[in-house]
Amino acid sequence: MKTFDIMPTPIGREIYHDNDSLKKHTISLIKKERLEWKEKGDDNLFHIESDRSQGVSFLYKEGLLDFKNWVEEQCTLFVKDVLEYELLDKMIVTDSWINLCNANGTQHDHYHCNAFISGTYYINYEKEHAPLYFSNPAVSETVNKIYRPEISLRRANKNNKYTGDPLIKPEEGELLLWPSSLSHGHMGNQKNDRVSISINFMPSVVADGLYGFKVTPLRAK
């Protein structure tokens, strides 16, 4: 049967030019500030959350300005050139934090309701580390039922672009960007030290027609 696709959802991806230096600086920053990993509902999944409870975004820390500017530039290009939204200014980082997933760790399905665009940057990623998956709203059991018909049939054991949850195998040093409403996660991690930075973005000026407001992120003093 012939088919054609409608309403695709783009995922932005771009490689940072100097991940080696960023990785070294991030590790030294974690040790210098004695930031602690906090277990996140899984014995093998941890987030650095000591700063987030005080409204501090990781990418506003010392020595990360160039990288923060780069991710904001990439997100701005993604929103303007790929999604084709009109921006009065640029996209800005409103929240960011470090994740550590060890072997057998899992990040369950979730989405970010407090942002317009979300993304993950992979500081340390090897072939044994789990890929990122996005939940297909038409077939995934974890997606809100409002997006699924009430009538259901048993599916064959297939996992193609129509019947499964799309997987992305990132590269170390790669930034992935997507609309924040997309549900995502990872599972099947086979090796320790899967380290990434989660990032939320908002337009610095939110405006649609006559009404709008400016966004100011909380940051470290």
Side-chain angles (χ1 to χ4, degrees):
M1 179 182 294
K2 295 180 180 180
T3 65
F4 66 94
D5 299 336
I6 62 172
M7 295 184 290
T9 301
I11 306 295
R13 55 192 314 175
E14 192 67 41
I15 297 290
Y16 185 56
H17 67 276
D18 193 7
N19 184 67
D20 290 342
S21 297
L22 179 64
K23 181 192 291 190
K24 291 178 182 177
H25 179 70
T26 300
I27 293 173
S28 65
L29 193 60
I30 292 170
K31 293 179 179 178
K32 176 184 176 182
E33 298 197 10
R34 298 181 180 179
L35 300 176
E36 296 183 358
W37 298 105
K38 181 179 179 181
E39 183 180 320
K40 190 68 174 178
D42 186 314
D43 292 341
N44 298 298
L45 177 66
F46 304 86
H47 300 334
I48 289 182
E49 290 209 339
S50 57
D51 287 336
R52 294 191 75 210
S53 62
Q54 303 174 29
V56 177
S57 175
F58 184 81
L59 290 186
Y60 283 95
K61 289 184 175 295
E62 178 184 356
L64 296 174
L65 179 61
D66 287 344
F67 178 70
K68 184 185 78 70
N69 288 341
W70 180 80
V71 298
E72 289 180 340
E73 178 184 357
Q74 298 307 313
C75 188
T76 300
L77 292 172
F78 178 63
V79 171
K80 292 178 65 175
D81 296 347
V82 179
L83 301 181
E84 295 188 336
Y85 285 107
E86 294 182 0
L87 289 177
L88 295 183
D89 194 5
K90 65 175 185 176
M91 299 296 294
I92 58 174
V93 172
T94 53
D95 194 12
S96 54
W97 61 97
I98 297 284
N99 312 289
L100 168 66
C101 187
N102 287 329
N104 301 314
T106 297
Q107 175 67 75
H108 296 291
D109 263 11
H110 66 288
Y111 64 94
H112 300 192
C113 61
N114 58 340
F116 187 68
I117 299 294
S118 294
T120 299
Y121 179 82
Y122 293 87
I123 293 179
N124 189 68
Y125 190 89
E126 302 178 48
K127 63 180 182 180
E128 296 88 356
H129 288 150
L132 181 69
Y133 71 80
F134 291 92
S135 296
N136 184 338
V139 298
S140 292
E141 292 298 321
T142 55
V143 176
N144 193 309
K145 289 185 178 181
I146 194 172
Y147 297 110
R148 300 204 317 269
E150 290 298 321
I151 298 173
S152 62
L153 298 175
R154 182 179 297 177
R155 291 192 294 123
N157 186 24
K158 296 180 180 180
N159 190 33
N160 60 37
K161 64 181 179 179
Y162 302 116
T163 63
D165 293 331
L167 296 175
I168 295 182
K169 194 77 171 176
E171 297 181 38
E172 183 170 293
E174 185 171 34
L175 173 69
L176 300 181
L177 298 168
W178 61 86
S180 295
S181 57
L182 284 182
S183 186
H184 58 280
H186 61 79
M187 62 177 63
N189 196 49
Q190 300 176 19
K191 189 175 182 179
N192 289 346
D193 298 325
R194 182 188 188 274
V195 181
S196 61
I197 304 177
S198 292
I199 312 170
N200 284 330
F201 300 87
M202 283 286 288
S204 59
V205 178
V206 178
D208 183 9
L210 296 176
Y211 304 101
F213 55 90
K214 291 185 178 181
V215 175
T216 302
L218 298 175
R219 62 189 72 181
K221 293 183 179 179

